[in-house]
Amino acid sequence: MELLKQKIMQEGIVLDGGVLKVDTFLNHQVDAELMLAIGKAFAELFRESGVTKIMTIESSGIAPAVLTALPLAVPMVFGRKRKSLTLRDDLYTEKVYSFTKQEESEVTISRKFLAPNDRVLIIDDFLAHGEAALGMARIVRQAGAEVAGIGIVIEKSFQTGRGKLLEQGFRVESLARIASLEGGKVEFV
């Protein structure tokens, strides 16, 4: 997706440790027009996949997930990382490790929002080592539902995530694939 690549080149900041900071348009402040284009791109990629639900993890995946759900006319559900007084019982739960935050979170989704007949499109902001996507896929499987595919806004192709997801048989579509962040420079696949 050329618009996304341009935005990464203009506003992305490469940090030590293979981290790409995109807080001006995705992870803190959200560029609504870009998210709308991202949602439309994912919807086109997965339109024929029989998607009945979009799923992500709070918080950076919510904007692209909502704007993917809109053109597909399906609900979006997000996994919560924090305990809630209103979300205590009858949950699907998985532990998910975040490469960027260097911490493990317990992600929960109410059982009433996933059913065995669902075909779930997982949307995530980044793909590094694949832990978030794999955790979401495990929740989908706990529900007896099927993963229709995994949509990634920005993939760091030099890390192991894509391979792990493909080994599990998942269809993976990334809108921007980064080959390298070496020397503080973004290079696309």
Side-chain angles (χ1 to χ4, degrees):
M1 180 179 187
E2 202 54 43
L3 180 62
L4 175 59
K5 289 179 182 178
Q6 289 172 8
K7 196 73 158 174
I8 291 168
M9 295 303 290
Q10 292 166 357
E11 298 180 28
I13 299 170
V14 178
L15 304 176
D16 290 339
V19 175
L20 177 64
K21 184 176 180 181
V22 291
D23 64 346
T24 60
F25 61 91
L26 178 62
N27 294 77
H28 196 66
Q29 174 173 273
V30 175
D31 180 326
E33 286 188 32
L34 178 61
M35 289 309 116
L36 182 59
I38 285 169
K40 287 178 180 176
F42 281 137
E44 282 307 307
L45 287 167
F46 290 99
R47 186 165 307 283
E48 304 303 320
S49 298
V51 173
T52 62
K53 198 154 286 178
I54 308 292
M55 183 172 147
T56 193
I57 297 177
E58 67 177 352
S59 64
S60 299
I62 292 176
V66 165
L67 291 165
T68 302
L70 191 61
L72 291 175
V74 299
M76 186 278 290
V77 61
F78 63 91
R80 298 184 71 140
K81 293 180 188 173
R82 291 166 192 85
K83 298 288 184 194
S84 168
L85 292 175
T86 62
L87 191 64
R88 290 184 173 214
D89 300 316
D90 211 20
L91 305 173
Y92 296 114
T93 304
E94 274 296 327
K95 291 192 185 303
V96 174
Y97 183 78
S98 168
F99 172 79
T100 306
K101 295 181 180 122
Q102 297 287 301
E103 66 183 26
E104 186 174 73
S105 298
E106 189 171 87
V107 175
T108 58
I109 293 182
S110 175
R111 288 179 182 265
K112 70 181 175 183
F113 297 127
L114 286 176
N117 62 339
D118 277 322
R119 287 191 42 80
V120 181
L121 172 57
I122 295 169
I123 299 290
D124 206 5
D125 60 339
F126 270 93
L127 174 60
H129 296 285
E131 298 303 318
L134 287 168
M136 286 187 280
R138 288 190 300 270
I139 288 174
V140 171
R141 288 181 171 159
Q142 282 181 45
E146 186 177 346
V147 175
I150 299 173
I152 303 295
V153 178
I154 301 170
E155 174 187 331
K156 294 192 272 181
S157 297
F158 57 91
Q159 292 177 320
T160 60
R162 174 176 280 271
K164 288 179 185 176
L165 298 174
L166 294 175
E167 279 176 18
Q168 296 282 322
F170 297 123
R171 174 183 172 195
V172 180
E173 298 287 349
S174 300
L175 300 183
R177 294 185 65 197
I178 296 174
S180 173
L181 294 175
E182 288 190 29
K185 185 174 184 250
V186 176
E187 291 183 33
F188 294 102
V189 171

